[in-house]
């Protein structure tokens, strides 16, 4: 339930701080006084996108804040828990701030939230019914939602939707497989040729690098052999070789180390160098024997490299590894073609299984909706009679339709204002006043099934007057008595008089310009306001008496 609304610097409102009460309340005021501004401010709290033009001229920021008592709404606790929000059922605070710089911020109990979350929360808190929503009666989605609400089929609908998603995905996968198999079969011969060619090449990852090294070595064999020969001769010649001379130098120093101790360290260092150089000399000698120019072997290496280069160019890749990956991929595709019929059959069986389950769940939904439709017809017809349409007929049809995320049903509301006219879709045959009454009957019915704490009617009484207005007021008052908070913005004195609490929106001129304000009327103030609604600006004694009589209707 909405307990308090605070608005600052929004449109024509300087500052407004109003307390609201349970039951049936009414808001009145002349056209243009600012009732739509207040609704606009509430809509911001429900997640509507902000128009920065709504900030009062000259202000840096506007603030809209509401306090809600949600102690009677057990389901809201789950919402706060799922979204990790701090919960205070006795005083839940929603605030929206707009700054002139273009920033918009929203808070729930001082925790910042996004608009999507704010809208989701708002759907639990307030239902605003404006005049244009009467057009929803012509919407099949709206009609279906009403039927589902009255059918208590939410669990069945949730199960159906989950199966529908699985079935839709299975159908998509089946279609993709069919298309892929068709494409693959068209190019099967070519893919087989490519796979055979790559397989015949006996590709080995890393082979190319090894062959390139061998090729470079073999192509420069003469230069390499000459260099190794010269190094071997310098190191290992019998008397002039470095190794022999180094050994002789070490022996000379060892010969005098007893009489010249300093020679011992030098001799030891030469011994170490001798061992290292002797090892190098032996390695050079071995390499010399290994290097040999073999034209046939070089041709074989280069031929293999040419094959690898040609395959890479042909298949537009850069490495042998990529060629191997392509070969494997072609193998998988060819294998899929060979096993395609079996895979296709498995996909078809899965899609068929899900469709059978979907039909079964859809049939359950249809049964529940048909039962709900009968309850809707009885309740709406009863309400329409009370609203001055004793001969009106209302029927909810549930007809077969193509599978959709909502079921296999097409729902439509049919209506006739009298017994002689054929029933047709409600949006095509009902007048403005009739549409308003049908919508009120529907809303009154739904309010008993959905635990929505606050309902706001914005001039739902358009097109009606007199006794019909009194009956509409009675229905809204009854809705307010069922642990609901019902607020009606109205121009009709009959409805204004039925409210438990009466608010007036008005404009006044100040030094800062025109501002809109709102006040809760006293009993005397209500008499004057309703009298003015009856007679206009010149309030007559008759209008005052009439206003008192209307207010007496509640007692």
């Amino acid at each position: 339930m909405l307990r308090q609304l605070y608005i600052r610097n929004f449109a024509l409102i300087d500052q407004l701080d109003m307390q609201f009460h349970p039951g049936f309340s009414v808001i009145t005021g002349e056209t243009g006084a600012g009732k739509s501004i207040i609704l606009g401010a509430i809509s911001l709290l429900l997640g509507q996108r902000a128009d920065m033009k709504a900030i009062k001229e000259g202000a840096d920021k506007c603030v809209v804040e509401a306090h809600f008592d949600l102690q009677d709404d057990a389901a809201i606790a789950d919402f706060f828990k799922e979204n990790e929000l701090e919960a205070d059922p006795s005083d839940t605070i929603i605030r929206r701030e707009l700054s002139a710089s273009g920033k918009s911020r929203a808070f729930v109990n001082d925790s910042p939230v996004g608009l999507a979350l704010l809208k989701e929360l708002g759907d639990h808190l307030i239902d605003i019914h404006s005049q244009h929503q009467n057009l929803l009666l012509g919407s099949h989605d709206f009609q279906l939602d009403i039927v589902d609400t009255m059918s208590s089929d939410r669990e069945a609908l949730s199960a159906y939707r989950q199966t529908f998603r699985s079935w839709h995905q299975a159908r998509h996968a089946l279609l993709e497989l069919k298309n892929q198999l068709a494409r693959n079969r068209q190019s099967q011969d070519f893919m087989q040729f490519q796979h055979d060619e790559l397989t015949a090449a006996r590709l080995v990852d890393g082979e190319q690098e090894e062959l390139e090294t061998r090729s470079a070595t073999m192509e420069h064999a003469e230069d390499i052999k000459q260099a190794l020969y010269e190094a071997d001769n310098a190191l290992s010649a019998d008397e002039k070789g470095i190794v022999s001379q180094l050994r002789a130098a070490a022996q000379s120093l060892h010969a005098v180390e007893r009489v010249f101790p300093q020679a011992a360290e030098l001799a030891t260092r030469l011994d170490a160098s001798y061992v290292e150089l002797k090892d190098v000399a032996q390695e050079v000698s071995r390499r010399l024997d290994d290097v040999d120019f073999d034209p046939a072997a070089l041709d074989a290496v280069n031929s293999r490299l040419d094959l690898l280069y040609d395959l890479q160019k042909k298949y537009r890749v850069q490495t042998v590894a990529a060629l191997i990956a392509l070969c494997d991929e072609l193998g998988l595709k060819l294998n899929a073609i060979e096993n395609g019929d079996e895979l296709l059959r498995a996909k078809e069986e899965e899609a068929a299984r899900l469709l059978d389950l979907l039909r079964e769940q859809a049939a359950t939904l249809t049964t529940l909706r048909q039962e709900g439709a009968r309850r809707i017809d009885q309740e709406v017809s009863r309400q329409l009679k009370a609203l001055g349409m004793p001969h009106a007929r209302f029927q909810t049809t549930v007809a077969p339709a193509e599978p959709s995320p909502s079921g296999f049903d097409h729902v439509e509301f049919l209506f006739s204002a009298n017994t002689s006219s054929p029933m047709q879709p409600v949006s095509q045959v009902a007048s403005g006043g009739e549409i308003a009454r049908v919508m009120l009957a529907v809303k009154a019915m739904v309010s008993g099934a959905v635990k929505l704490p606050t309902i706001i009617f914005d001039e739902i009484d358009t097109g009606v007057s007199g006794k019909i207005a009194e009956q509409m007021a009675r229905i809204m008052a009854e809705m307010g008595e069922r642990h609901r908070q019902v607020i009606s913005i109205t121009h009709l004195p009959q409805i204004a008089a039925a409210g438990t609490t009466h608010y007036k929106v008005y404009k006044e001129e100040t030094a800062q310009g025109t501002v809109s304000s709102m006040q809760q009327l006293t009993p005397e103030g209500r008499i004057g306001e309703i009298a003015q609604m009856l007679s206009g600006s010149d309030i007559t004694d008759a209008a005052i008496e009439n206003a008192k009589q209307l207010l007496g209707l509640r007692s």
Side-chain angles (χ1 to χ4, degrees):
M1 182 189 77
L2 175 63
R3 291 197 301 107
Q4 182 180 358
L5 178 65
Y6 173 79
I7 304 172
R8 177 164 58 86
N9 295 332
F10 183 76
L12 296 179
I13 297 177
D14 235 348
Q15 183 164 297
L16 177 70
D17 192 357
M18 291 300 303
Q19 304 292 323
F20 289 87
H21 307 279
F24 180 41
S25 301
V26 295
I27 299 175
T28 61
E30 296 179 359
T31 301
K35 299 185 294 296
S36 61
I37 295 175
I38 293 170
L39 270 185
I42 294 175
S43 296
L44 283 179
L45 296 175
L46 304 183
Q48 179 177 296
R49 292 202 172 276
D51 182 357
M52 299 305 166
K53 296 178 182 177
I55 300 174
K56 195 174 193 313
E57 187 175 353
D60 294 331
K61 181 174 73 171
C62 84
V63 177
V64 182
E65 181 176 289
H67 293 245
F68 293 87
D69 183 348
L70 305 178
Q71 295 180 87
D72 294 332
D73 189 351
I76 203 69
D78 294 334
F79 175 88
F80 276 79
K81 185 176 181 180
E82 290 170 5
N83 292 283
E84 299 180 349
L85 292 172
E86 182 180 345
D88 184 356
S90 63
D91 188 22
T92 296
I93 305 172
I94 300 178
R95 185 170 76 255
R96 190 83 182 271
E97 297 179 358
L98 309 180
S99 65
S101 63
K103 293 181 179 180
S104 169
R105 299 194 300 169
F107 302 86
V108 175
N109 291 335
D110 288 328
S111 296
V113 298
L115 286 189
L117 184 63
L118 192 64
K119 186 178 187 307
E120 188 178 352
L121 175 59
D123 290 340
H124 289 278
L125 301 180
I126 298 179
D127 175 23
I128 298 180
H129 178 88
S130 57
Q131 291 183 55
H132 76 272
Q133 281 191 303
N134 288 336
L135 300 176
L136 288 175
L137 275 177
S139 164
H140 295 299
D141 289 340
F142 175 79
Q143 295 172 1
L144 180 59
D145 190 55
I146 294 296
V147 171
D148 284 333
T149 299
M150 299 305 298
S151 301
S152 300
D153 61 4
R154 294 302 179 185
E155 289 186 6
L157 182 58
S158 176
Y160 169 89
R161 284 176 171 164
Q162 184 174 350
T163 302
F164 182 87
R165 285 192 294 270
S166 298
W167 174 66
H168 182 74
Q169 291 168 357
R171 286 181 64 207
H172 180 73
L174 177 60
L175 181 61
E176 281 293 306
L177 178 60
K178 286 181 177 179
N179 292 336
Q180 184 63 48
L181 287 175
R183 290 192 297 268
N184 288 348
R185 281 169 179 154
Q186 287 177 351
S187 56
Q188 182 177 6
D189 291 341
F190 181 59
M191 285 194 297
Q192 187 66 59
F193 168 79
Q194 290 180 314
H195 184 262
D196 291 345
E197 182 178 44
L198 292 172
T199 301
R202 300 180 183 277
L203 301 167
V204 177
D205 192 14
E207 177 189 19
Q208 179 177 327
E209 292 76 9
E210 182 183 346
L211 290 174
E212 286 172 341
T213 301
R214 288 178 58 191
S215 175
T217 300
M218 294 172 73
E219 286 180 352
H220 297 85
E222 290 298 328
D223 295 336
I224 295 170
K225 196 171 185 68
Q226 180 65 30
L228 289 172
Y229 174 78
E230 292 176 356
D232 181 62
N233 188 54
L235 289 167
S236 304
D238 290 340
E239 295 181 1
K240 296 184 179 180
I242 296 173
V243 174
S244 297
Q245 293 185 28
L246 188 60
R247 184 180 183 185
Q251 289 174 342
S252 297
L253 290 175
H254 279 303
V256 296
E257 61 185 5
R258 281 180 298 180
V259 295
F260 185 59
Q262 293 90 334
E265 180 186 354
L266 295 173
T268 300
R269 291 169 61 186
L270 286 175
D271 287 338
S273 299
Y274 167 76
V275 172
E276 177 65 20
L277 281 177
K278 184 179 179 182
D279 184 66
V280 172
Q282 291 172 346
E283 182 69 19
V284 169
S285 180
R286 283 197 299 271
R287 296 289 185 182
L288 180 60
D289 294 336
D290 291 341
V291 176
D292 194 14
F293 179 69
D294 185 349
L298 178 60
D299 287 344
V301 169
N302 287 338
S303 176
R304 179 64 177 172
L305 283 172
D306 288 343
L307 173 63
L308 297 180
Y309 294 150
D310 288 344
L311 289 174
Q312 290 173 35
K313 182 177 180 181
K314 180 177 182 178
Y315 291 101
R316 298 179 180 178
V317 297
Q318 303 296 321
T319 64
V320 172
L323 287 174
I324 294 172
L326 177 58
C327 184
D328 293 342
E329 181 183 347
L330 289 168
L332 290 174
K333 288 183 177 180
L334 290 168
N335 186 60
I337 293 173
E338 291 179 7
N339 300 305
D341 290 339
E342 182 179 346
L343 184 59
L344 189 63
R345 185 162 50 253
K347 293 285 187 184
E348 288 172 339
E349 290 175 356
E350 175 64 8
R353 182 190 68 80
L354 287 170
L355 181 57
D356 288 341
L357 177 59
L358 196 68
R359 286 178 175 141
E360 180 182 332
Q361 292 174 332
T364 300
L365 268 181
T366 299
T367 300
L368 291 172
R369 285 167 173 169
Q370 288 171 339
E371 294 172 357
R374 288 192 290 270
R375 290 195 294 272
I376 290 171
D377 296 345
Q378 293 171 0
E379 180 62 19
V380 172
S381 297
R382 183 184 70 81
Q383 293 282 16
L384 289 178
K385 286 181 174 61
L387 288 168
M389 303 176 71
H391 304 298
R393 291 178 295 155
F394 186 91
Q395 181 181 353
T396 306
T397 63
V398 182
E402 291 297 314
S404 76
S406 299
F408 287 20
D409 303 313
H410 173 81
V411 170
E412 188 157 44
F413 290 163
L414 303 180
F415 174 79
S416 175
N418 51 65
T419 56
S420 59
S421 300
M423 298 186 74
Q424 296 184 48
V426 62
S427 61
Q428 298 179 16
V429 294
S431 66
E434 290 167 346
I435 284 282
R437 281 179 275 179
V438 171
M439 183 58 98
L440 179 59
V442 169
K443 287 280 186 175
M445 172 187 66
V446 170
S447 72
V450 179
K451 305 303 181 184
L452 195 67
T454 301
I455 301 174
I456 300 177
F457 290 107
D458 181 17
E459 300 184 6
I460 195 172
D461 48 37
T462 299
V464 301
S465 59
K467 282 287 184 183
I468 305 304
E470 292 177 7
Q471 292 299 330
M472 293 182 80
R474 179 187 60 78
I475 290 174
M476 286 188 280
E478 288 177 355
M479 291 170 64
E481 291 169 0
R482 293 192 297 235
H483 306 289
R484 299 284 188 281
Q485 181 185 48
V486 178
I487 301 172
S488 177
I489 298 174
T490 182
H491 287 294
L492 296 182
Q494 294 90 342
I495 291 179
T500 305
T501 310
H502 190 156
Y503 302 91
K504 180 178 180 179
V505 179
Y506 58 95
K507 274 184 182 178
E508 57 183 349
E509 296 297 328
T510 68
Q512 289 74 36
T514 304
V515 296
S516 288
S517 298
M518 181 177 179
Q519 64 176 351
Q520 180 178 337
L521 296 179
T522 63
E524 293 76 13
R526 294 193 69 184
I527 294 172
E529 174 67 6
I530 293 172
Q532 185 173 2
M533 295 173 72
L534 287 165
S535 65
S537 57
D538 295 327
I539 300 176
T540 63
D541 292 339
I544 291 175
E545 287 303 315
N546 195 358
K548 290 179 180 179
Q549 291 176 5
L550 285 175
L551 289 168
L553 290 175
R554 295 185 295 105
S555 60

